[in-house]
Amino acid sequence: MLREFTCIMCPQGCDIQAELEGNKVISISGNKCPRGKEYVTQEIKNPMRNIATSVLVDGGELPLASVRLTKPVPKDCIFPVMAEIKKVRLAAPVQEGDVVISHVLGLDSDVIATKTVGVR
Amino acid sequence: MRQTDAVIIGGGPAGLAAAIELRRKGIEDILILEREKKPGGILRQCIHDGFGLTRFGETLSGPEYASRFVRRAQELDIPCMTDTTVLEVTPDRRVYASSSEGLLEIQAKAVILAMGCRERTRGAISIPGTRPAGVYTAGVAQAYINLKNKMVGKRVVILGSGDIGMIMARRMTLEGAKVLGVFEIQPYPSGLPRNVEQCLNDYQIPLYLSHSVTEIRGRDRLESVVVSQVDEHLSPIPGTEKEYACDTLILSVGLIPENELTWMAGAKEDLGTRGPVVDEHYQTTVPGIFAAGNVLHVHDLVDFVSLEAEALADGAARFIQEGALPACPLTVKGDSLVGQLIPGRCSGQEDVTISFRVRRPLKNCSIEVCQGEKVIRRVRKPKALPAEMIQISLKAEELNPNEDLEVKVVC
Ligand SMILES: Cc1cc2nc3c(=O)[nH]c(=O)nc-3n(C[C@H](O)[C@H](O)[C@H](O)COP(=O)(O)OP(=O)(O)OC[C@H]3O[C@@H](n4cnc5c(N)ncnc54)[C@H](O)[C@@H]3O)c2cc1C
């Protein structure tokens, strides 16, 4: 089966054509680098995505600290992961890189702060 | 009056990278002036990841990317006055600013303009109908949600397929809003293909090309918008109107360099980029006044902003140390398919990097850099999109110091 992909690994966004047989990539073209093949291989098995959002900070100079995942998670875990992150309330100070939730939902990915928020 | 070697206006990625690189080149006396409470620029609100792939080989969020530069500037003890707004720059490089200490007057040997850009609101202004609450530009909505913890609405229509609009479509969906669609007047998306994929397709948010919002309805709060299909001249086609009930309309119709100070200083405008005309040293038409980053031309990738500001620092350091830069008598022009071309002038005797965008999506074209009849560089492009800035670096040896340059797109 021939399938087309837009690679999201980098801003180039290559248009990739891949010949697939079940979960196997038979041939691939259009990708300018090897990450394109990695992307397609992952995409047909189990698409993975990263997300970014914010958590509330009590007593901080800012009301929110932004967070992201250290590794992408399966696409269908995005909303459950969002719900987990929503439950969190941090107390200032927050340091960039602080682990906010380790192994969120038991997945191989941590939620980390991406912004330092000092005490108000 | 205070005297310094370099005053940098704006503490975003461009200003910070320029400051760090100037210091590395031996310029000690540097001052960054920043309007906001903290340096970092617009990236403080761009919390999604995807920054730094070119620069650091890893993918960071906007705040993390910015903080690497903020920390480096702090380590180097480069002073950055925050809460300080520059009000005027004169052609002889005096800078007037208002700060908590009162009015500042600074004489600089070199002034570096790094004020970034602001969002266009055009399009919104010309849409007929009422002006209820609930209409935001994408960047303002981004600031409310990501900095102030204010959700802007629950049923959302997005006008324009710029990257920030698509990123906000995803962001609002994650926050529980229903994004009814992204409507783009052009027959192609104006943002990057990866954002169509990961911000819209991933969340089943429809993208309607050749569509525009033609009426805004509502008394106090937005109640609905009317959307119409447009023809090849971008005029609404009667009979195609469709009403969408919504409480929020987000405009993502492009960015425009913020250059009031630049024009006050007497620098000439480039009508293509809407920023100042610069030469290969990123010097404007006013000697000693330089510009890089979004104030010069709108960038989609901050990695390129950092690189550009570092290249600027090269020229600015030479100007401070030697008092002048080599003349740039050659013009650099683009043909009708080439837009937003930088630089406008070059010396023909030094390496130069040319940046531009194609004006519409193209397939299987060649880009040629020519001097007279001679093609000095040809780059094959299977795909070229207006959303992507194209850069071509030329070596001094390739250039004829006596002939103007032209960038041509051959399809
Ligand atoms: C809303 C928005 C979202 C964006 N999202 C992305 C994205 O997701 N990914 C991406 O790669 N790029 C994004 N961009 C582009 C982004 O702006 C650039 O990548 C980069 O931040 C540009 O850096 P800069 O230093 O030129 O400008 P900015 O980051 O805008 O910094 C300019 C600084 O100058 C200050 N300033 C302005 N005028 C004055 C004055 N008169 N006196 C003192 N200080 C002043 C401002 O406060 C600001 O801090 C976005 C741009 C906008 C507007």
Side-chain angles (χ1 to χ4, degrees):
Chain A
M1 185 184 64
L2 201 65
R3 218 178 115 186
E4 303 207 338
F5 296 84
T6 301
C7 183
I8 62 168
M9 302 296 270
C10 90
Q12 298 216 36
C14 294
D15 288 327
I16 302 181
Q17 293 83 40
E19 175 70 36
L20 308 176
E21 217 175 79
N23 266 356
K24 264 180 68 186
V25 183
I26 305 294
S27 70
I28 181 165
S29 64
N31 53 318
K32 293 188 197 123
C33 81
R35 299 182 63 179
K37 184 165 180 196
E38 276 170 45
Y39 172 71
V40 169
T41 309
Q42 186 64 53
E43 202 63 11
I44 53 178
K45 265 204 315 235
N46 185 15
M48 306 284 274
R49 296 291 185 270
N50 206 322
I51 54 168
T53 179
S54 299
V55 295
L56 288 168
V57 179
D58 287 325
E61 53 181 350
L62 302 170
L64 296 170
S66 49
V67 300
R68 68 168 166 95
L69 306 177
T70 51
K71 283 188 197 158
V73 296
K75 208 161 139 179
D76 46 22
C77 291
I78 289 177
F79 284 96
V81 166
M82 272 300 286
E84 281 307 294
I85 298 174
K86 273 238 174 302
K87 293 180 193 160
V88 177
R89 250 189 125 99
L90 300 173
V94 178
Q95 280 297 322
E96 179 188 323
D98 280 358
V99 176
V100 175
I101 308 175
S102 104
H103 292 90
V104 61
L105 291 178
L107 297 161
D108 181 25
S109 180
D110 298 335
V111 180
I112 58 163
T114 55
K115 196 184 272 179
T116 295
V117 180
V119 178
R120 182 168 47 214
Chain B
M1 192 189 354
R2 187 164 171 178
Q3 317 261 343
T4 66
D5 284 343
V7 166
I8 297 172
I9 308 175
L16 291 165
I20 293 164
E21 191 61 19
L22 276 170
R23 180 58 66 78
R24 241 177 45 86
K25 297 216 146 49
I27 306 299
E28 285 301 319
D29 195 5
I30 305 171
L31 178 62
I32 305 175
L33 302 176
E34 168 56 52
R35 182 169 65 186
E36 299 292 326
K37 285 194 177 59
K38 294 210 167 192
I42 204 81
L43 292 188
R44 291 175 313 120
Q45 71 184 59
C46 303
I47 65 169
H48 55 279
D49 77 336
F51 300 83
L53 222 48
T54 315
R55 174 78 189 198
F56 298 114
E58 58 181 312
T59 155
L60 302 168
S61 66
E64 290 168 294
Y65 186 94
S67 86
R68 294 202 174 187
F69 288 85
V70 172
R71 275 203 301 271
R72 188 76 194 118
Q74 279 164 353
E75 284 161 14
L76 294 171
D77 278 325
I78 298 173
C80 175
M81 286 184 71
T82 52
D83 265 327
T84 302
T85 303
V86 175
L87 304 172
E88 190 182 345
V89 179
T90 68
D92 54 358
R93 302 183 299 275
R94 265 174 217 218
V95 176
Y96 296 89
S98 89
S99 76
S100 56
E101 292 170 21
L103 207 59
L104 301 175
E105 186 181 356
I106 308 160
Q107 175 68 57
K109 287 191 185 143
V111 173
I112 289 148
L113 306 171
M115 291 91 75
C117 61
R118 57 188 155 77
E119 293 176 281
R120 283 181 197 269
T121 46
R122 184 203 60 194
I125 295 164
S126 56
I127 303 170
T130 53
R131 287 292 171 269
V135 183
Y136 301 89
T137 60
V140 168
Q142 191 179 44
Y144 274 129
I145 297 175
N146 293 345
L147 297 179
K148 300 192 174 139
N149 193 29
K150 283 206 184 91
M151 189 57 186
V152 295
K154 289 202 159 343
R155 278 179 73 81
V156 186
V157 165
I158 299 186
L159 174 61
S161 57
D163 287 311
I164 311 165
M166 293 198 278
I167 282 162
M168 286 314 294
R170 173 177 66 182
R171 184 78 191 97
M172 298 192 67
T173 306
L174 285 174
E175 288 294 337
K178 174 80 188 156
V179 178
L180 302 170
V182 173
F183 298 90
E184 168 59 53
I185 196 166
Q186 298 290 343
Y188 51 86
S190 70
L192 295 170
R194 74 190 294 242
N195 285 333
V196 175
E197 189 63 28
Q198 63 181 357
C199 297
L200 305 185
N201 295 350
D202 269 2
Y203 297 89
Q204 288 101 42
I205 299 167
L207 168 62
Y208 300 91
L209 300 174
S210 299
H211 277 76
S212 190
V213 171
T214 44
E215 198 184 328
I216 296 174
R217 292 178 181 167
R219 278 172 57 88
D220 301 324
R221 178 80 194 193
L222 181 66
E223 285 160 22
S224 68
V225 296
V226 177
V227 170
S228 304
Q229 223 172 306
V230 300
D231 62 19
E232 66 271 28
H233 309 292
L234 309 184
S235 305
I237 304 172
T240 61
E241 299 84 0
K242 213 172 151 194
E243 187 173 1
Y244 289 83
C246 58
D247 58 19
T248 305
L249 173 64
I250 304 258
L251 308 167
S252 179
V253 291
L255 303 169
I256 184 163
E258 182 153 343
N259 273 301
E260 284 76 6
L261 297 172
T262 316
W263 314 142
M264 267 188 223
K268 202 175 141 204
E269 181 176 357
D270 179 325
L271 292 173
T273 58
R274 305 295 301 275
V277 174
V278 292
D279 63 21
E280 69 192 21
H281 313 289
Y282 296 95
Q283 183 172 235
T284 66
T285 50
V286 184
I289 299 186
F290 298 79
N294 277 354
V295 79
L296 180 59
H297 55 147
V298 172
H299 290 254
D300 27 75
L301 275 181
V302 68
D303 303 60
F304 289 129
V305 172
S306 306
L307 283 174
E308 184 172 281
E310 284 160 359
L312 171 152
D314 252 334
R318 270 166 76 188
F319 184 89
I320 293 165
Q321 284 155 348
E322 296 161 24
L325 284 163
C328 290
L330 307 184
T331 62
V332 188
K333 286 218 168 79
D335 72 7
S336 60
L337 283 172
V338 173
Q340 308 213 12
L341 183 66
I342 295 282
R345 297 193 330 260
C346 74
S347 64
Q349 318 212 21
E350 293 185 22
D351 299 354
V352 58
T353 297
I354 299 175
S355 312
F356 59 93
R357 290 169 192 265
V358 292
R359 287 193 194 270
R360 56 180 168 84
L362 298 167
K363 280 213 158 117
N364 297 319
C365 59
S366 289
I367 289 159
E368 298 180 349
V369 183
C370 308
Q371 284 188 302
E373 296 296 298
K374 191 168 170 227
V375 179
I376 56 171
R377 181 71 72 81
R378 181 177 284 125
V379 183
R380 300 254 337 117
K381 280 261 164 201
K383 180 175 96 169
L385 298 173
E388 279 171 81
M389 192 170 83
I390 300 172
Q391 287 195 324
I392 297 178
S393 295
L394 302 167
K395 290 264 166 240
E397 306 84 80
E398 296 176 82
L399 296 165
N400 170 355
N402 301 311
E403 188 117 46
D404 292 340
L405 281 80
E406 189 177 1
V407 181
K408 294 181 186 165
V409 178
V410 185
C411 292

